[in-house]
Amino acid sequence: STQSTWGFFGLDSMAIGKNKSKNLGRRKGGKKKATDPFLRKDWYDVRAPNLFQVRDFGKTLVTRTSGGKIASEALKGRIFEVSLGDLNKVEEEAHRKMRLVVEDVNGRHCLTNFVGMDFSTDKLRNLASRRFQTLIENVVDAKTTDGYLLRLFCIAFTKRSPCHDKRKTCYAKTSQIRAIRAKMTEIMTREATNTDLKGLVNKFIPELIGKEIEKAVTGIYPLNNCFIRKVKMIRSPRFDPSKLMELHSDFTPEVVGQTVLRPVEETA
C-alpha cells in the first residue's frame, strides 16, 4: 500500500512545516535594516607639498574611527596621482603625472610627499610615433642625500645634425648609443646624489636633467626631446615628522584640545 511504501523510506514520521533544512538560513528578529555606508564615512582634505603652487588639490573618503579601526591609519599610505598641469596651473605640463603619498594626518588634512612621477600614455606614443629617428632609453638607481633610493627612467630621440640637413633619416650607430647611455648614467647619478628629494623634484619639474644631457652629448650625436619620463621610489628612510613639516611649512596644525582653568572657589 501507499502508507507502507512511505514508511519504508522513513517518511511517515515527518510532520508538515518542520523541515529543518529549509529554516537554516533564517534568523530571529526579522530582516536587518539597510543603512547607507556613507553615513559612517568622513571627508579629508589632501594637501600637496610646497613644491607646487596648488596646495589643496582634492578630497578623500575614509570610514570613521570605530573600535580598533583608526581613520588616520587607514589614510596613511594612500597614493594620489595628480597632473602637474593642475598642481602648477600650467597646461603645457599636463602630460606629467605626479604621485603623492599620505605620510601624516593632522585634523582633517592629509599631508603628502613626493613618491613618484610618470608620463601620460598619449605623450609617450606621440614621441615614439615619429619616424626616421633612434630612441634611446636608460635606467639608473640613485640615492639622494636624505636617504631616498629612486629609479630614474630617461628617454631621448636623435635629431638631424646641422651638417646633414639633406639627409632624411637620423639614425645613431651602436657605438654612439653606447656613449650616449654612459653620459646619461653619469649625469643622472650626479644630479640625484648631490641633492635631497626636494631639490631633485625641483629639477624634475623644469626638466633640467634632460637639458643637461642634451648639451653633454652634442659632440656624440644631437638629441631631441630628452626627458626623465618616470621616477619610481624604491626605498625611503624612516618617517621624520620634522622633514614632512618643512614641506608643509605654511600649514598650521589644528589644536585638538584647549586648556581650561579651574574656577576659583569662593570662600565663605
Side-chain angles (χ1 to χ4, degrees):
S1 64
T2 307
Q3 186 176 359
S4 61
T5 305
W6 287 110
F8 176 77
F9 289 103
L11 301 176
D12 55 345
S13 61
M14 182 180 293
I16 299 174
K18 294 295 182 179
N19 191 352
K20 295 182 179 180
S21 63
K22 294 184 178 180
N23 298 328
L24 290 177
R26 297 181 183 177
R27 292 184 180 179
K28 295 182 180 180
K31 190 176 180 181
K32 190 175 180 181
K33 197 172 184 180
T35 58
D36 188 4
F38 282 86
L39 296 177
R40 296 181 288 106
K41 297 181 182 293
D42 291 327
W43 288 98
Y44 283 74
D45 296 326
V46 187
R47 289 181 60 85
N50 53 17
L51 304 167
F52 311 102
Q53 295 182 11
V54 178
R55 305 306 305 281
D56 295 325
F57 64 87
K59 291 180 178 291
T60 186
L61 200 63
V62 69
T63 305
R64 196 177 294 115
T65 301
S66 63
K69 296 182 179 180
I70 304 174
S72 60
E73 296 299 325
L75 288 169
K76 291 178 182 178
R78 286 192 182 182
I79 297 178
F80 299 89
E81 195 172 81
V82 195
S83 170
L84 184 60
D86 295 334
L87 291 174
N88 284 346
K89 297 182 179 180
V90 180
E91 189 176 352
E92 289 75 14
E93 297 177 349
H95 61 275
R96 196 185 298 271
K97 299 180 292 184
M98 311 301 290
R99 293 167 60 85
L100 305 175
V101 62
V102 177
E103 290 193 346
D104 197 11
V105 180
N106 192 296
R108 288 297 181 89
H109 300 278
C110 301
L111 308 181
T112 62
N113 194 5
F114 176 85
V115 76
M117 184 185 69
D118 200 358
F119 266 24
S120 61
T121 306
D122 58 338
K123 178 66 176 179
L124 290 175
R125 289 180 177 178
N126 183 27
L127 292 173
S129 63
R130 300 169 188 176
R131 299 187 300 170
F132 309 122
Q133 60 183 1
T134 302
L135 186 151
I136 304 173
E137 290 185 294
N138 197 17
V139 182
V140 172
D141 290 350
K143 194 172 186 179
T144 60
T145 55
D146 50 355
Y148 288 91
L149 181 62
L150 302 173
R151 182 165 293 163
L152 311 181
F153 297 79
C154 183
I155 188 172
F157 300 88
T158 56
K159 69 175 182 179
R160 292 181 185 178
S161 174
C163 303
H164 304 91
D165 290 336
K166 296 182 180 179
R167 188 180 296 176
K168 188 176 181 180
T169 61
C170 51
Y171 296 126
K173 298 179 181 179
T174 306
S175 58
Q176 293 172 330
I177 295 175
R178 194 181 301 114
I180 290 173
R181 284 203 181 109
K183 277 291 182 182
M184 284 180 174
T185 304
E186 176 188 346
I187 294 173
M188 286 193 292
T189 305
R190 184 185 70 230
E191 295 293 333
T193 54
N194 292 339
T195 184
D196 57 356
L197 182 65
K198 181 178 179 180
L200 189 59
V201 176
N202 286 327
K203 294 179 181 180
F204 291 151
I205 295 174
E207 202 54 61
L208 296 178
I209 300 178
K211 295 176 182 177
E212 184 69 22
I213 294 173
E214 289 181 5
K215 292 179 183 178
V217 301
T218 305
I220 303 173
Y221 204 100
L223 294 182
N224 189 22
N225 295 326
C226 184
F227 303 107
I228 302 295
R229 68 169 184 85
K230 185 177 180 180
V231 178
K232 188 176 180 181
M233 182 75 69
I234 304 299
R235 194 182 304 117
S236 59
R238 183 174 296 180
F239 173 66
D240 188 359
S242 60
K243 291 285 185 67
L244 181 64
M245 292 311 298
E246 290 179 4
L247 298 174
H248 298 270
S249 55
D250 59 338
F251 175 71
T252 54
E254 295 182 2
V255 180
V256 178
Q258 187 176 2
T259 306
V260 179
L261 299 177
R262 179 179 297 178
V264 180
E265 296 180 359
E266 296 182 0
T267 55

